[in-house]
Amino acid sequence: MQYHLNGFRPGDPQWFEDGRKNVCAPGTLPDKTDVLIVGCGPAGLTLAAQLAAFPEIETLIVERKPGPLQKGQADGISCRSMEMFNAFGFAEQILKQACWVNETTFWKPDHRAPTTITRNGRVQDVADGLSEMPHVILNQARVHDMYLELMRKSPSRLEPVYAISVTDIVLSPQADPTYPVEATLARLIDDVPTGEQITVRARYVVGCDGARSTVRKAIDRELIGDSANQAWGVMDVLAVTDFPDIRCKSLIQSAFEGNIIIIPREGGYLTRLYIELDKLTEGERIRNRHIGIDDLIGAAQRIFRPYHFDVKEVVWWSVYEIGQRLTDKFDEVPQAAVAHQLPHIFICGDACHTHSPKAGQGMNVSMGDAFNLGWKLIAVMKGISPPDILHTYSEERQSVAQDLINFDREWSRIMSERPELNDDSQENEPKFQRYFIQHGHYTAGMSVTYQPSRLTGIATWQELARGFIVGSRFHSAPVVRLADIKPVQLGHVIKSDARWRIFIFAADEDPYQASSAVNRLCSYLCEDTHSPLNRFTPPGGDCDEVFDVRVIFQQAASELKLDQLSPYLLPRKGQYGLIDYEKIFCPDLKSGSDIFSVRGINRAAGAVVVVRPDQYVAHILPLQAVDQLSAFFAGFMLPVNKG
Ligand SMILES: Cc1cc2nc3c(=O)[nH]c(=O)nc-3n(C[C@H](O)[C@H](O)[C@H](O)COP(=O)(O)OP(=O)(O)OC[C@H]3O[C@@H](n4cnc5c(N)ncnc54)[C@H](O)[C@@H]3O)c2cc1C
């Protein structure tokens, strides 16, 4: 973490200086705001936490509930979400508090005694090298707490306003073209409207308001999909059991009593069980079945046979229905109007897609939606990019959600199939075990690959850096920071700060020669009036305000002399012109993991790897392709007026 740039400040560096211009009195709401976020679930908080770093953007986040979530709901955190948490700066806290999923075990009916179960297999949960982050389990409420703390300490001091329900959203640009969306809010006490109605106008409204989204309905979008819902029972319990895999994620298929997914939970004692209940008929609601906690415990005990499962405390339980459903577009602009209408109302997370909890994707994909939208809103409101880039949010995330629905539909079908009772072979993997293993990349959150667009280049030069797939998330690897010889993960330089990263992997050449490809590229970036740094960085700010350039040399740190490298790699920043020493890296040869080898960088040619603010690889280019680099950014950035 870097701090003290603009002068020494004592105390916790994670408490940023208060940067707000307008402060509302406690309990009051502004008449106008730049962004109104509806809902404090994982999607709303991911978006709010991004925006909170920019006090010049006024953000209001409201939530119907009276206060923060305490327990229940989702708990699976994929490797990809952990990478994103790292950008927010709280991955380490999660690593400490969460339960790590190392192995998943599979159980099926014992063919010798089909009313009992037997272990059929165990597999490593995340393939080696997929991510530097593990797959972990932690309650959604704790994840919310991390975001809330980050927001509280941010320059915006952003706090949600609870007990406020959004009841209507209307696009009315004629009333105020700068704040074209009008939201009607109702104050609640104990979940009941007090009768007080408040109107707030916003430049943008983002509905992160869950499966029954009011914002989605206001923009006339529907969740379309299965007409019948799958009913689920879920319980978080403290229990005593002789089932040996209770601390592993386990999938159990019984012969006659249904299926259970065991999720070992944080803290070492808590366990979550998902119990698949019946399919509901069209329009049927689960609450009409009057299923109670005793029914869930009874079902679990029957499935666990011959093992015992003695519940000592029920922490949280729920019975709920889920269908695989998706909206066709994640903003209010009709497809036919995209060329001439700009979006102002968006929906994220469960408001756009619903699916079963079996694949553990609910919280993850929802946060991914918001992380995709957040930096785009910031870029538009800061005047870095034109507002039409906001169309890419729906374009990119709708297809991610479609993949999720397809995956979940297939996974649910396979999990619900009756197991083969006469299969006595322990080597024979049941279908659900095979499918789970084949799709590990997907469930880890790594399968998202954005297609070529204004924001993602065509992979013409993919061969220069085979391990950084254009359109996919930047796959971190170990490096050594030259100035202080600290082993670090290169991907961890990416913070949730809406900046673009340009990673320059040096060619195999003398790094001190002014004519080396790295030095010529650095000179171009810093001196040439056509370079993206000069065209798109606002005057007066730090040179890395929009683009964060980092160079990785091939030589070991011991072979490089910092003071003889290009001065552009030691930029001067802040009010004192202090030197930023954290732009230069070398391979971590001690760990035996040379980033040039593990990520397939062409040593002779080097490579430029451009990474989006949401950690996805946007482009790969040769070191000499300066015109293409500039043209790429010119496709979605606005030149600044240096006059
Ligand atoms: C009761 C429940 C149990 C769940 N259990 C599981 C589970 O066991 N496992 C699992 O993987 N997933 C579970 N999920 C789903 C998982 O929590 C979601 O996939 C995930 O939270 C999606 O995040 P989100 O931010 O899109 O929506 P949500 O987490 O649903 O957040 C939406 C928020 O918006 C608020 N809101 C709604 N309407 C308004 C309004 N008009 N005005 C103001 N605020 C509003 C809601 O109160 C809520 O806090 C559960 C969801 C619910 C609702």
Side-chain angles (χ1 to χ4, degrees), residues 34-38 47 169 181 203-209 213-216 219 221 329-333 342-349 351-352 369-370 372-374 376-377 380-381 387-395:
D34 291 320
V35 184
L36 168 64
I37 302 170
V38 187
L47 182 60
I169 300 288
V181 195
R203 289 173 75 180
Y204 297 102
V205 170
V206 188
C208 302
D209 49 346
S213 168
T214 303
V215 179
R216 185 190 65 234
I219 59 171
R221 300 230 174 261
K329 213 160 169 293
F330 293 5
D331 60 40
E332 88 282 19
V333 179
L342 294 170
H344 287 274
I345 307 170
F346 304 89
I347 45 176
C348 288
C352 319
D369 289 346
N372 180 295
L373 178 61
K376 295 173 183 173
L377 284 172
V380 170
M381 281 181 287
D388 61 359
I389 68 155
L390 296 174
H391 285 304
T392 65
Y393 164 65
S394 180
E395 285 158 18

Side-chain angles (χ1 to χ4, degrees), residues 22-260:
N22 302 322
V23 183
C24 273
T28 60
L29 294 168
D31 303 337
K32 290 182 181 170
T33 187
D34 291 320
V35 184
L36 168 64
I37 302 170
V38 187
C40 272
L45 291 172
T46 302
L47 182 60
Q50 278 184 89
L51 293 169
F54 299 89
E56 65 273 34
I57 298 172
E58 285 181 17
T59 302
L60 172 65
I61 175 165
V62 297
E63 164 61 49
R64 189 165 58 189
K65 293 190 190 117
L69 188 73
Q70 297 296 321
K71 54 190 176 183
Q73 300 200 203
D75 54 11
I77 304 174
S78 69
C79 304
R80 174 69 197 111
S81 293
M82 286 300 294
E83 294 174 1
M84 185 190 76
F85 290 160
N86 197 70
F88 279 107
F90 57 75
E92 280 170 17
Q93 260 170 289
I94 301 248
L95 287 174
K96 218 187 276 176
Q97 293 182 16
C99 173
W100 294 31
V101 184
N102 302 307
E103 279 194 342
T104 295
T105 74
F106 300 88
W107 291 70
K108 66 176 191 176
D110 187 340
H111 73 281
R112 291 158 304 194
T115 55
T116 65
I117 53 169
T118 182
R119 188 194 293 121
N120 190 71
R122 50 194 320 150
V123 298
Q124 184 173 322
D125 188 77
V126 177
D128 290 336
L130 193 59
S131 171
E132 78 283 10
M133 290 292 176
H135 169 200
V136 301
I137 305 290
L138 185 68
N139 184 230
Q140 182 175 327
R142 293 297 304 127
V143 174
H144 288 192
D145 288 344
M146 308 262 173
Y147 277 128
L148 291 167
E149 186 184 347
L150 186 90
M151 288 155 55
R152 202 172 300 128
K153 294 175 166 181
S154 75
S156 300
R157 300 287 190 270
L158 186 58
E159 298 267 6
V161 185
Y162 293 101
I164 293 283
S165 179
V166 170
T167 55
D168 200 15
I169 300 288
V170 178
L171 189 66
S172 53
Q174 61 293 346
D176 185 341
T178 313
Y179 297 88
V181 195
E182 183 177 288
T184 309
L185 282 54
R187 211 179 277 282
L188 313 174
I189 292 182
D190 296 334
D191 257 358
V192 179
T194 58
E196 183 190 352
Q197 289 222 334
I198 308 140
T199 302
V200 176
R201 293 200 70 88
R203 289 173 75 180
Y204 297 102
V205 170
V206 188
C208 302
D209 49 346
R212 298 179 200 282
S213 168
T214 303
V215 179
R216 185 190 65 234
K217 287 173 199 147
I219 59 171
D220 272 339
R221 300 230 174 261
E222 251 188 285
L223 284 177
I224 296 166
D226 297 352
S227 54
N229 284 332
Q230 178 68 52
W232 279 87
V234 53
M235 54 183 183
D236 290 341
V237 293
L238 295 166
V240 175
T241 179
D242 52 356
F243 180 72
D245 291 344
I246 197 69
R247 294 306 301 160
C248 291
K249 179 173 172 186
S250 302
L251 281 66
I252 305 176
Q253 265 187 326
S254 75
F256 310 111
E257 303 290 350
N259 306 324
I260 280 186

Side-chain angles (χ1 to χ4, degrees), residues 422-561:
N422 54 2
D423 173 16
D424 59 353
S425 141
Q426 292 301 301
E427 286 94 62
N428 198 359
E429 284 177 350
K431 225 186 200 176
F432 73 111
Q433 182 172 333
R434 235 179 6 250
Y435 193 79
F436 178 88
I437 295 166
Q438 281 165 3
H439 292 82
H441 191 248
Y442 181 86
T443 44
M446 300 307 172
S447 65
V448 173
T449 304
Y450 295 128
Q451 294 308 303
S453 71
R454 290 161 81 189
L455 302 178
T456 305
I458 297 171
T460 312
W461 290 282
Q462 183 67 71
E463 278 304 300
L464 293 179
R466 278 178 279 110
F468 295 121
I469 308 297
V470 176
S472 300
R473 69 69 158 104
F474 182 80
H475 191 175
S476 185
V479 287
V480 167
R481 197 163 62 200
L482 180 64
D484 57 355
I485 321 295
K486 184 177 178 196
V488 291
Q489 283 283 340
L490 187 60
H492 294 190
V493 305
I494 308 174
K495 305 293 177 209
S496 166
D497 54 11
R499 290 192 293 166
W500 286 75
R501 263 82 202 179
I502 301 178
F503 291 106
I504 303 174
F505 288 87
D508 186 9
E509 57 187 355
D510 181 348
Y512 310 119
Q513 288 291 327
S515 60
S516 74
V518 165
N519 286 336
R520 285 182 26 208
L521 176 55
C522 289
S523 302
Y524 169 81
L525 288 172
C526 296
E527 291 169 7
D528 198 295
T529 52
H530 298 102
S531 97
L533 270 67
N534 284 317
R535 289 192 72 205
F536 307 117
T537 305
D542 285 331
C543 55
D544 60 358
E545 190 179 321
V546 178
F547 301 97
D548 180 14
V549 179
R550 311 272 177 154
V551 175
I552 307 94
F553 287 103
Q554 294 191 28
Q555 290 84 351
S558 56
E559 292 170 26
L560 279 182
K561 297 186 182 70

